[in-house]
Structure formats: C-alpha cells, structure tokens
C-alpha cells in the first residue's frame, strides 16, 4: 500500500486531569481500518518531531488508524513544535504520562477517532522514554494487542547526583535542550513520583509482564540509550524479539526538521510494519 492516500486530522482531547492532549489522527483515505496504532514520543519529544510524521504516514498507508499525540505536559503548546510552556514541562511526571497513554488507548477503543467504530486490535509504538511508558501500559492494559519499542529505556532512573541534589536543595533542576538552547526545568515532583511509585515505574519488571507480541528495535550505535538496555529488555521480556540496526543511533539518523529518510529509519519502519501485520 506504499503511496496510498492518507487522511490526516488534528484533534484535541481532555482527560479528567484537565490538561489538553493534542493528537494527529491518520488513516487510509478509503475504507475503515480494522486495527489502530498509538505512537508515543519520548523525553523532550513531540509528535511532530523529525521522523514521527513520516512513520505515522507509513503506518496509515499500511492500513492502520494511527494516533500520535503530545503528552499533556510535554511543554509544547498550540503551535505544536516549540517548547512554549516550560512550566508544564517542569511539572510533568512519569505517572502523568502513563495516565495520558491509558486515556488515549481507552478513547481509541471507544471509537473516538473512528466514527464510533471500535478497532479489533490496538498496538502501541513508543520511542525512548515513550518506549518505557509503552512497556508498562502493555503490561497493564488488556486492550493492547501488540507492542513495538524504538530505542527504549530499560529504566527511568537516569538522573545524576547533581540532579538529585538540586531537587533536594532547590526543588528544581535544569537540563539543556541542545536543539533550542533552552534550559528546561524539572521540578522535584518528577523525582518524588519516581520514588513513590518505584514498583509500577520499574520498566524491566514490567517487561517481564508483557505477554503480547513485542518487537524491540534499537540502533547499535545509540549514544543516548545504549543498546545494552535493549538486550536487557529482550532478556526480561518473554514475548519479545529484538532487531538491532547496525551503524544506527538513537533517532536512526533522522533529524528535526526532517531532511529526508535514512537507511536506519527505513529499516526500523520496515521491521515495525512487518511486526504489526503479523501481530494484529
């Protein structure tokens, strides 16, 4: 179905917490998709970053209803591509992202994006931190029938002593955004949430609970999330398979703004399409 026309709509939805989730809905222009795939971005990510639109177009061309979205506190506003709400970014927590992803799964299953039609099956695809969120959601939510993770973290404990010291003494730490030059705040609520919900937020433990078909895709040269984390997830996940892409990094050489596809990205997309076809 490569090159098949795709319908693309932008929507907003508001979970009970009251903050808006902005989403893109893509589907084949003709027919009613039987399957749906939700796509979750990672830390400092957003649904319009780099490869996400291209990935979602490919998934829709392959016959799926595709829902990509910004987590409610990811820091982007209505313009979608700039971090215009750093206060929201600073207040984000992992539990909030799990709440958002569960809401999006539930709304997809309710037919909110498909004229009231309930998909037969729903798959999840998460990149980087979104992969960890997807793993926990797949372990917890019965509606999820298939999982793909790209460059996924195997743990959310990624903070150094200086970050913990900042949280303890000042209540906030800052991280640079190399692309925008912004110093982005992270409030102590992130750390407190990780400590208070350590059991639920244990990605590797959740991996052992995933029973649906799961494809782990990782670049061999990933400097952000080393490929060893993918291998730990594979070892933990009884239903997982792994595809390591030689010579590829954390974003499979894609950049933002998107300058064209890459061999690594196409290998990741091809493996993903095959997995969802077989699993859903």
């Amino acid at each position: 179905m490569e090159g098949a026309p795709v319908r693309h709509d932008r929507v907003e939805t508001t979970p009970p917490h009251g903050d808006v989730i902005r989403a893109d809905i893509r589907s084949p222009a003709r027919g009613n998709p039987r399957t749906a795939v939700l796509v979750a971005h990672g830390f400092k990510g957003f649904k319009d970053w780099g490869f996400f639109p291209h990935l979602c177009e490919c998934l829709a061309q392959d016959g799926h209803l595709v829902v990509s979205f910004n987590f409610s506190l990811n820091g982007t506003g209505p313009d979608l591509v700039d971090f215009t709400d750093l206060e929201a970014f600073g207040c984000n927590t992992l539990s909030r992202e799990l709440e958002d992803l569960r809401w999006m799964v539930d709304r997809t299953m309710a037919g909110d994006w498909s004229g009231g039609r309930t998909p037969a099956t729903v798959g999840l695809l998460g990149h980087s931190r979104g992969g960890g969120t997807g793993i926990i959601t797949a372990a917890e939510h019965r509606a999820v029938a298939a999982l793909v993770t790209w460059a996924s973290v195997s743990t959310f404990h990624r903070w150094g002593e200086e970050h913990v010291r900042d949280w303890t003494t000042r209540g906030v730490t800052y991280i640079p955004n190399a692309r925008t030059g912004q110093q982005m705040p992270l409030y102590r609520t992130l750390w407190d949430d990780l400590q208070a919900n350590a059991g639920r937020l244990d990605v590797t433990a959740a991996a052992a609970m995933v029973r649906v078909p799961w494809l782990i895709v990782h670049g061999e040269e990933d400097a952000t999330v080393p490929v060893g984390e993918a291998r730990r997830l594979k070892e933990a996940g009884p239903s997982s398979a792994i595809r390591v892409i030689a010579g590829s990094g954390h974003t499979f050489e894609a950049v933002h703004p998107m300058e064209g596809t890459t061999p690594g990205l196409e290998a990741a997309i091809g493996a993903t399409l095959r997995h969802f076809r077989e699993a859903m």
Side-chain angles (χ1 to χ4, degrees):
M1 293 186 65
E2 185 175 355
V6 168
R7 177 176 176 176
H8 180 195
D9 298 302
R10 295 190 186 274
V11 302
E12 294 184 357
T13 180
T14 305
H17 55 56
D19 295 310
V20 172
I21 293 175
R22 297 177 175 90
D24 285 356
I25 313 299
R26 292 178 172 86
S27 61
R30 293 182 293 273
N32 298 318
R34 185 185 64 84
T35 56
V37 176
L38 283 85
V39 179
H41 65 76
F43 184 55
K44 293 189 289 185
F46 48 95
K47 65 179 177 62
D48 294 286
W49 186 92
F51 60 60
F52 284 112
H54 175 60
L55 164 64
C56 293
E57 288 281 320
C58 291
L59 286 164
Q61 288 171 355
D62 214 46
H64 306 289
L65 172 74
V66 184
V67 182
S68 61
F69 66 97
N70 287 336
F71 286 106
S72 58
L73 296 180
N74 82 322
T76 61
D79 77 348
L80 302 177
V81 296
D82 293 313
F83 289 103
T84 56
D85 193 348
L86 291 182
E87 182 68 13
F89 181 89
C91 291
N92 198 13
T93 67
L94 294 157
S95 291
R96 166 59 79 93
E97 293 196 348
L98 284 170
E99 182 181 354
D100 285 352
L101 183 51
R102 188 177 189 92
W103 171 262
M104 295 303 287
V105 172
D106 288 343
R107 299 331 304 159
T108 300
M109 288 301 297
D112 283 17
W113 334 119
S114 52
R117 295 181 302 276
T118 299
T121 54
V122 171
L124 296 182
L125 189 158
H127 177 251
S128 196
R129 189 164 93 173
T133 307
I135 291 165
I136 295 171
T137 301
E140 292 182 346
H141 203 307
R142 290 186 177 183
V144 177
L147 175 66
V148 176
T149 54
W150 283 16
S152 178
V153 299
S154 64
T155 176
F156 290 136
H157 286 274
R158 318 191 76 78
W159 311 107
E161 292 181 2
E162 70 280 7
H163 298 118
V164 177
R165 184 170 57 249
D166 285 346
W167 282 320
T168 303
T169 60
R170 299 191 296 161
V172 62
T173 193
Y174 290 87
I175 58 163
N177 186 319
R179 182 178 64 86
T180 67
Q182 292 168 294
Q183 290 293 319
M184 306 181 76
L186 293 172
Y187 295 116
R188 180 172 172 164
T189 48
L190 176 69
W191 180 246
D192 289 345
D193 174 61
L194 188 53
Q195 300 304 300
N197 299 289
R200 187 187 185 202
L201 297 175
D202 186 330
V203 177
T204 303
M209 303 300 293
V210 173
R211 293 293 184 266
V212 300
W214 171 17
L215 177 65
I216 298 165
V217 181
H218 215 101
E220 188 176 38
E221 305 301 325
D222 192 332
T224 302
V225 180
V227 69
E229 296 199 42
R231 295 190 172 109
R232 282 193 290 276
L233 291 173
K234 173 66 181 74
E235 183 177 354
S239 65
S240 66
I242 190 169
R243 169 70 188 277
V244 175
I245 299 178
S248 217
H250 190 61
T251 64
F252 309 102
E253 294 66 68
V255 297
H256 182 82
M258 187 78 165
E259 295 177 354
T261 190
T262 69
L265 179 60
E266 290 307 308
I269 291 174
T272 297
L273 296 180
R274 287 190 295 274
H275 179 74
F276 282 136
R277 284 176 203 151
E278 294 168 359
M280 298 184 8

